[in-house]
Amino acid sequence: MNAVALAGTGLITALGSGPHAFWGGLLRGERAFGELTAFEGDFRSRTVAAVPPSAFPAAPDRTTPGRRKHTMALAAAAQALRAAGLPGLPAGALVVLVSQAPGTADGTAREFTGPDPAALLVALGSSPGQAAVVHLSHACASAAFAASFARDWLLSGLGDTALVVGASALNPYEYASMDVVRTLSPGGARPFDTTRDGITVGEGGGAFVLETAARANRRGHRPKAWLSGAACLVDSTQAVASEPAAIRAAMRGALEDAGVGRVDYVHAHATGTAQGDAAEVEAVGELARELGPHSVPVSSHKGAVGHLLHASAFPALVAAVGFLREARLPGTPGLRAPLEVPDGVVTVRESTAAVRAEHVLVNSFGFSGNNASLVLSAVGR
């Protein structure tokens, strides 16, 4: 058995604190967008998806991007451990931190670092000597790459529990970099819409606990889902644009890894850019034709909480879990006039009941050709 248990998830987004706040808002089609107030600048867009103060736990300092990241990551990690039924981080666990650069105790590199590993471990009831800590950065596909890495670590027998955690906070440097390449949407992201004109940058923190099936069985814990397959590819031919062939290869590789011949839903990376969304639905269409006569529904959460950059796969996994547990397809907030899609692909505008909910593909892509696809499978009823 190559599947590992997705034991628990944690999430902070512009829709609030906790996976349920996000999932409920996504089903209702809410768009948690507002005016940028964190910093000044002459940008193409000032529409963002900021985490409201009510979603933050009490903290002495959450004003700098570095402190916001640490606070959100810690809150999400605590949620994930509780959801997994764990009182703290088990000894010998693997911790995978996702961000552009490792966190520093003195907080000198505030914008691009993630949470401080030592402080995070202490807050979770562990210490640097009791857990293996890895920092991983693959642009906006980082959290999905981390899920694959942690799964491989567990399946190799190196340990039985892994925590993946990360966060993204609004800051002028990352925001300006998006503005320079003209990817920001003035009015807010509308994935798969004919009028889509770019992304909306969001912020938030996420975490999930993975463990071996044997450990989940030993402690009588029912997983949220199985992480049954993964494929990570780095395509050096495209620095920025999405390549349909690479996307298709990642999805096909994940399904082959899982031993699955049908997919019931694709939670798309779809950020709201013209080229990226079109490339992804083209790739899904080609995959749908390979898999058979059944239509593949596709939707994206980024019209609800924006693009969390390195942390963007965390809400995607929560959406996938919600689909599998409730047999309900989440819609794509902001989608009004769907783009033309290939035969076999259905873009989901509003939440609706699923015909079948056994396997879901989660896509996550990033600059420099980082492509990752994960397969999550339902836990037997």
Side-chain angles (χ1 to χ4, degrees):
M1 181 179 183
N2 288 329
V4 298
L6 178 59
T9 61
L11 191 64
I12 307 288
T13 70
L15 284 171
S17 178
H20 291 296
F22 166 77
W23 177 243
L26 186 61
L27 291 184
R28 293 188 293 272
E30 296 178 9
R31 283 163 65 79
F33 294 169
E35 181 78 9
L36 173 65
T37 59
F39 46 85
E40 296 299 322
D42 185 15
F43 303 116
R44 180 170 182 257
S45 169
R46 297 192 64 83
T47 300
V48 296
V51 172
S54 60
F56 278 102
D61 177 14
R62 53 178 182 253
T63 56
T64 68
R67 286 303 305 167
R68 287 173 73 85
K69 287 181 184 180
H70 183 81
T71 301
M72 291 187 290
L74 177 59
Q79 291 174 9
L81 289 170
R82 285 197 301 271
L86 296 171
L89 192 65
L94 170 70
V95 177
V96 186
L97 300 173
V98 295
S99 66
Q100 283 183 279
T104 56
D106 60 8
T108 53
R110 297 174 181 169
E111 283 76 19
F112 300 117
T113 59
D116 172 30
L120 183 70
L121 291 177
V122 170
L124 297 177
S126 184
S127 67
Q130 294 180 310
V133 180
V134 173
H135 176 262
L136 191 147
S137 185
H138 280 271
C140 297
S142 293
F145 269 77
S148 177
F149 179 88
R151 173 174 173 265
D152 287 345
W153 188 86
L154 293 169
L155 293 176
S156 72
L158 291 171
D160 55 21
T161 307
L163 171 70
V164 177
V165 58
S168 178
L170 291 166
N171 67 80
Y173 299 97
E174 286 179 323
Y175 203 78
S177 71
M178 293 293 177
D179 186 66
V180 166
V181 294
R182 302 186 65 79
T183 61
L184 299 177
S185 169
R190 296 186 179 278
F192 301 130
D193 198 280
T194 55
T195 65
R196 65 193 186 280
D197 56 0
I199 73 171
T200 294
V201 178
E203 64 176 1
F208 52 86
V209 175
L210 299 177
E211 63 182 357
T212 61
R215 176 173 169 80
N217 289 333
R218 282 197 307 271
R219 62 190 193 91
H221 179 71
R222 180 182 174 84
K224 306 297 182 185
W226 297 109
L227 176 55
S228 52
C232 299
L233 305 172
V234 178
D235 173 24
S236 61
T237 63
Q238 298 289 340
V240 177
S242 298
E243 171 55 48
I247 296 172
R248 185 178 66 253
M251 292 190 294
R252 185 190 293 122
L255 290 171
E256 290 175 353
D257 185 42
V260 171
R262 169 173 170 163
V263 61
D264 305 309
Y265 166 55
V266 173
H267 191 82
H269 179 71
T271 61
T273 63
Q275 191 276 336
D277 290 11
E280 191 167 7
V281 295
E282 179 183 335
V284 174
E286 292 175 0
L287 181 69
R289 289 193 292 273
E290 293 177 9
L291 295 180
H294 305 287
S295 295
V296 178
V298 180
S299 70
S300 168
H301 68 268
K302 293 184 177 71
V305 297
H307 189 358
L308 272 59
L309 307 180
H310 286 71
S312 65
F314 291 114
L317 285 172
V318 170
V321 168
F323 164 75
L324 293 172
R325 290 173 66 85
E326 299 183 15
R328 190 147 198 94
L329 290 161
T332 305
L335 176 56
R336 297 176 299 194
L339 80 166
E340 185 175 348
V341 297
D343 292 340
V345 179
V346 177
T347 50
V348 184
R349 295 179 59 184
E350 298 178 345
S351 172
T352 185
V355 174
R356 176 170 143 168
E358 294 184 9
H359 305 289
V360 54
L361 266 171
V362 174
N363 285 341
S364 192
F365 313 129
F367 282 179
S368 300
N370 287 286
N371 300 277
S373 291
L374 306 174
V375 177
L376 269 64
S377 301
V379 176
R381 299 292 192 267

